[in-house]
Amino acid sequence: PVMRLALIVFLVAARPLCSEAQAPADGSTPSTVDIAPRAAELEAQGRFAEAASALRPLVDRYPEEYALQLRLAWDLFRAEAYEEALTHYEAAAALSGGSADSHLGLGWTLLRLGRCGDAAPHWSALLEETPDHGLALEGRRICDLEAGTCVAFELGVVGHAYPGHAFLRRAVGG
């Protein structure tokens, strides 16, 4: 798997050097060299569903590549294709042994699908390694609110004094 990923990275990096590497005029599947730059271009334009479509042939060709599964999942998530994104985040998690990025993607995708109970283990896994992980804390808070968990807060009153001010002497506020 590492050699294949290295080959993909090499091919993507070598793209400007290969003037003959153009998309086939006959409509056949583009080469590996063409796919990643095209997907990046579509992502930059905010066309995430199209970027995901551009990446699919590469993911189909190299299904054991964690980075490709994760990138496709992220594009699908941004295209609001949550069920399909979930499939690729699960593949990325299996390939990586549970990377932080795959836990984060799974947590937010499950949250978007209304499955907060299923998202909870992903928040816990992230927070176990990084207790102040902002996105994991936010996801867990949203799920807690949706589950009706009591969220405690403190309300206080503070007195303010304004010595020497022309017209303010004192005030009460938060």
Side-chain angles (χ1 to χ4, degrees), residues 4-149:
R4 280 188 282 175
L5 184 57
L7 176 63
I8 292 167
V9 170
F10 171 77
L11 291 173
V12 170
R15 173 74 168 106
L17 303 175
C18 303
S19 58
E20 71 280 357
Q22 301 298 318
D26 63 1
S28 63
T29 304
S31 72
T32 302
V33 174
D34 296 314
I35 292 172
R38 178 67 181 143
E41 180 183 315
L42 292 165
E43 290 164 349
Q45 296 170 6
R47 296 164 55 192
F48 303 115
E50 292 174 65
S53 293
L55 281 175
R56 275 192 189 91
L58 195 55
V59 173
D60 290 345
R61 196 173 303 156
Y62 303 104
E64 299 299 314
E65 295 300 333
Y66 162 77
L68 292 175
Q69 291 285 357
L70 192 66
R71 184 172 174 185
L72 178 56
W74 179 230
D75 282 342
L76 290 165
F77 181 89
R78 292 187 294 179
E80 299 179 7
Y82 302 120
E83 288 290 345
E84 196 175 355
L86 183 63
T87 301
H88 292 282
Y89 276 126
E90 288 170 340
L95 290 168
S96 69
S99 71
D101 287 334
S102 60
H103 278 300
L104 191 61
L106 284 165
W108 279 99
T109 302
L110 290 163
L111 188 145
R112 292 293 178 120
L113 290 169
R115 295 170 48 190
C116 282
D118 294 332
H122 300 289
W123 306 137
S124 297
L126 282 165
L127 293 170
E128 189 175 302
E129 290 193 28
T130 311
D132 60 345
H133 194 291
L135 290 172
L137 288 168
E138 182 182 350
R140 186 174 70 184
R141 283 187 199 116
I142 291 170
C143 284
D144 287 347
L145 289 171
E146 288 185 10
T149 303

